[in-house]
Amino acid sequence: ALNVFPQGGGPQVRPGPTLSDDAVQITAVKISEDGRAMILRLFEPTGTARTTTLSVPALDVTLDVTLSPFEIRTLSIDLATRTVDEVDLLEKK
C-alpha cells in the first residue's frame, strides 16, 4: 500500500493482484530473491476446496487456481515472460 496524494499528472498505476473468491487469501506478494519474478502466496482458510481466478493486471496475467482445504500455494510469475510456475516456500520449482 502506498500513502500518496498524486497530482494526477503521472502515469496511471494498475491495480495489484486480486482474487475472484472472497474466502481465499493472498498472504504474500513480493519480488523473488533473484529479482526475476513476482511471488504470490495464496491460502485457503475455510477447509473447503475452492477454485479462484487470480488476476495480476500490472503483468497482464489471469489464471484459475484450485486449492485444497487449508492449502498454501506459492506461485512465481516471471516478470519477463509472464509465465506462471508453482514453487515451494523457498521459491524452488
Side-chain angles (χ1 to χ4, degrees), residues 2 16 22 33 36 50 56 61-62 69-70 78-79 84 93:
L2 299 175
D22 290 337
E33 294 296 322
R36 297 180 184 171
R50 294 181 177 274
V56 186
V61 171
T62 301
F70 303 111
D78 187 286
L79 296 174
V84 180
K93 290 184 186 181

Side-chain angles (χ1 to χ4, degrees), residues 4-72:
V4 296
F5 300 96
Q7 303 277 332
Q12 185 71 19
V13 177
R14 297 182 79 183
T18 61
L19 298 171
S20 63
D21 186 316
D22 290 337
V24 177
Q25 301 171 0
I26 298 175
T27 61
V29 177
K30 69 179 206 94
I31 297 300
S32 63
E33 294 296 322
D34 63 11
R36 297 180 184 171
M38 175 186 283
I39 303 296
L40 294 114
R41 191 156 295 130
L42 309 180
F43 174 58
E44 193 298 304
T46 68
T48 303
R50 294 181 177 274
T51 298
T52 186
T53 301
L54 170 66
S55 177
V56 186
L59 298 177
D60 292 322
V61 171
T62 301
L63 72 142
D64 290 330
V65 180
T66 300
L67 295 122
S68 300
F70 303 111
E71 182 177 9
I72 297 170

